[in-house]
Amino acid sequence: METIEGVRLVKEKLPHVKTVLGISNVSFGLPAAAREVVNSVFLYYATKAGLDLAIVNAEKLERFASIPEVKSAACESLLFNTPPVDAEDERLRTAPRLARADAGAEGRINQWHNRRRHGAFPEDRETG
């Protein structure tokens, strides 16, 4: 994700500069259950990249180490726009490609909504 790469580059080029991010912006529009996990995974990678200060509601943050592997993998796929190559549902494998076709100003937002529409999280999938 460009934000995480941006933090890494700032720390590489300007190591004494402090970095700060509002974490929950990355998951805006997702269901509450998914937001907690996405925010946690995003915070984990941003911190690894050198983030100094995170603006986040700690009460609504799941510990990265306690996130089941299947959920953290889904979040990584969402955050880094890399769908699972072995996804049974072809829509999950093609959603990023379809979203990239929306090259306008709303393209990035559409990537998130495409993932949500295609059930990137079990809570989003329609039943019955």
Side-chain angles (χ1 to χ4, degrees), residues 74 78 84 89 91-92 95 112-126:
L78 178 68
D89 188 340
R91 293 174 299 173
L92 283 176
W112 290 97
H113 293 290
N114 280 338
R115 284 292 178 93
R116 183 174 178 203
R117 263 198 313 262
H118 296 303
F121 294 93
E123 295 85 2
D124 293 339
R125 296 187 184 125
E126 293 181 22

Side-chain angles (χ1 to χ4, degrees), residues 8-91:
R8 189 192 67 72
L9 287 172
V10 166
K11 292 311 232 178
E12 178 183 301
K13 303 289 184 192
L14 305 164
H16 300 294
V17 170
K18 300 298 181 196
T19 55
V20 61
L21 284 174
I23 300 300
S24 65
N25 293 340
V26 74
S27 65
F28 183 76
L30 293 175
R35 290 192 77 178
E36 290 180 23
V37 179
V38 169
N39 291 344
S40 296
V41 173
F42 178 69
L43 178 60
Y44 172 78
Y45 282 102
T47 302
K48 281 183 69 168
L51 180 66
D52 295 298
L53 179 66
I55 301 170
V56 63
N57 182 348
E59 292 178 0
K60 298 196 178 216
L61 199 62
E62 193 166 337
R63 272 187 61 237
F64 182 79
S66 68
I67 299 171
E69 187 175 334
V70 67
K71 284 190 175 185
S72 64
C75 289
E76 290 165 356
S77 175
L78 178 68
L79 290 168
F80 296 104
N81 201 23
T82 54
V85 294
D86 59 348
E88 289 181 27
D89 188 340
E90 198 247 340
R91 293 174 299 173

